Structures are given as structure tokens and as C-alpha cells.
């Protein structure tokens, strides 16, 4: 069975600092991996996705994530945090043939201090 | 191009009442997914529908919950005889394709927040 674990339910960084949100997955087949962002009282928005092409994936708003099979990880990073990055971030996994049936992690709330 | 539209945004029901949540997918999208987000938790898959067909309802509680996506009109998630534990945000998402390169690339609505008193 597939699963996703996000380490740290809350992460706080200073504006301009590196953002690192951790995600580890478990999958018996080559996974499709995603990061979604949720702003307060809104739906989720796709940040980026890995679908077995390049292992370093670039997304919107300056975010990127690296797929590391040996570590079963897909951590999300951004070199310099902006106040507008404050939101909840969800890592998700799916099997390639399951369409939009995603398994989500618990989420990590990112706070950005001025 | 309008996004995924959900209504109502907020719904308050007393225990035992029925809740109906509606979702209109993005134009051109024929695949609809419902997810539930309980407080302090991630989203949990409930059901996947195409027009007039339930494809996968493995995440839906066996009792009191039902979903449909008729030929005409929005998809509807129906919860009968609501209980306090049904209080959650219910998100609808749509996609143009079931698999392939767009797998998992879902477009979410803003959610319907159900409160059961």
C-alpha cells in the first residue's frame, strides 16, 4: 500500500531563508509524486509533480523538489522564503494508472517571519 | 475559464439532517474526484466519478454517503443523517484525463465546509 509521511507539521523560517519541507513515500510501484499548496480557506493548487522524467523537478513560485529513490524522499525546497509562501503544503503520491486518486500526507504548515 | 465551482461554501446542519454538496468541474473536464479533509489532517480520497458512472468509491463510507455525476448538471455528494464526525471540508477536484502525463494533476475547488451541530 502506498503512503506518504511529511516530517514536521509546522515549519517556521525567516523571510529570505531556505525553505525545506520533507516528504517520504512508500510505494510498491514507480510512483508519481506531487506537492500541493493550500492557502487559508482555499482549495489545493499544484506546485509541481514528478512522473519519472527528470529527478529534479521545478515548480511554480520558485519551488523545486528532488526525487531520491534510494531515500524514498521527495523533499520540497525554495532558496529564499517570501512572506507570501506562508501556507499549508501537502505531499501526495499516486500509482501511474490511478488518475487523480492521490494519497496525501498530513501536511506541513509553513510560517514565514519578517 | 472558470475553475472548479463548489457550493455551498459553508453549510450548517443539525444531527440527522441531510447535506448536499455540489461540484461543477472545469470546462472540458469529465473526471471528478471528491476528497474529505478532517481538522488537522490531510485530504482523504472518497470517490472518483465520470459522467453517469462511479469509477472508484473505495474511500467512501458504506453508509449514509453517496455520490453522483449525472449526464447534465453538477456532481453531488450526499450525506444522509449527518453526525458530528461528518464535520469537515469536502473538496471536489477535476481533471481532463484519468491517467497518462496528467495523472494526479487535479484542479481543486475551494471546498465546502460542513459543520454538524
Amino acid at each position: 500500500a502506498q503512503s506518504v509521511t511529511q516530517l514536521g507539521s509546522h515549519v517556521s523560517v525567516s523571510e529570505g531563508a531556505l525553505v525545506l519541507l520533507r516528504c517520504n513515500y512508500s510505494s510498491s510501484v514507480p510512483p508519481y509524486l506531487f506537492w500541493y499548496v493550500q492557502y487559508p480557506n482555499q482549495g489545493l493548487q499544484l506546485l509541481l509533480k514528478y512522473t519519472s522524467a527528470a529527478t529534479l523537478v521545478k515548480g511554480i513560485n520558485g519551488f523545486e523538489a528532488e526525487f531520491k529513490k534510494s531515500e524514498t524522499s521527495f523533499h520540497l525546497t525554495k532558496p529564499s522564503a517570501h512572506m507570501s509562501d506562508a501556507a499549508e503544503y501537502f505531499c501526495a503520491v499516486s500509482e501511474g494508472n490511478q488518475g487523480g486518486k492521490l494519497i496525501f500526507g498530513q501536511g506541513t504548515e509553513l510560517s514565514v517571519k519578517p | 475559464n472558470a475553475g472548479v465551482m463548489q457550493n455551498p461554501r459553508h453549510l450548517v446542519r443539525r444531527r440527522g439532517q441531510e447535506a448536499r454538496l455540489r461540484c461543477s468541474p472545469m470546462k472540458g473536464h469529465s473526471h471528478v474526484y471528491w476528497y474529505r479533509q478532517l481538522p488537522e489532517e490531510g485530504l482523504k480520497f472518497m470517490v472518483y466519478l465520470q459522467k453517469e458512472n462511479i469509477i472508484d468509491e473505495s474511500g467512501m463510507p458504506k453508509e449514509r454517503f453517496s455520490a453522483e455525476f449525472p449526464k447534465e448538471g453538477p456532481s453531488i455528494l450526499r450525506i444522509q443523517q449527518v453526525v458530528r464526525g461528518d464535520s469537515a471540508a469536502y473538496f471536489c477536484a477535476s481533471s481532463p484525463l484519468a491517467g497518462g502525463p496528467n495523472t494526479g494533476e487535479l484542479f481543486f475547488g475551494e471546498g465546502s465546509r460542513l459543520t454538524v451541530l
Side-chain angles (χ1 to χ4, degrees), chain A residues 41-69:
Chain A
N41 297 315
Q42 293 188 26
L44 278 69
Q45 179 184 3
L46 181 67
L47 269 181
L48 50 81
K49 65 178 181 181
Y50 166 77
T51 55
S52 75
T55 56
L56 182 62
V57 181
K58 294 188 184 299
I60 62 172
N61 302 338
F63 284 93
E64 62 182 38
E66 186 173 7
F67 172 69
K68 292 187 177 180
K69 185 178 179 180

Side-chain angles (χ1 to χ4, degrees), chain B residues 1 15 26 28 33 56 73:
Chain B
N1 201 9
R15 282 178 296 170
M26 283 185 73
Y33 303 82
D56 183 343

Side-chain angles (χ1 to χ4, degrees), chain A residues 10 32 34 36 38 41-46 49 51 90 94-102 104-107, chain B residues 9 33 35 37 40-45 56 58 91 98-111 113:
Chain A
H10 293 90
Y32 285 26
F34 309 84
Y36 280 84
Q38 183 181 29
N41 297 315
Q42 293 188 26
L44 278 69
Q45 179 184 3
L46 181 67
K49 65 178 181 181
T51 55
F90 292 95
S94 81
E95 295 181 354
N97 61 352
Q98 292 295 309
K101 184 178 178 181
L102 302 178
F104 283 90
Q106 299 280 76
Chain B
R9 292 289 311 277
Y33 303 82
Y35 283 81
Q37 184 178 33
E40 307 297 323
E41 292 188 17
L43 278 74
K44 296 284 194 291
F45 168 81
D56 183 343
S58 58
F91 288 94
N102 290 321
T103 290
E105 190 165 342
L106 301 178
F107 295 82
F108 282 83
E110 294 187 332
R113 283 157 180 82

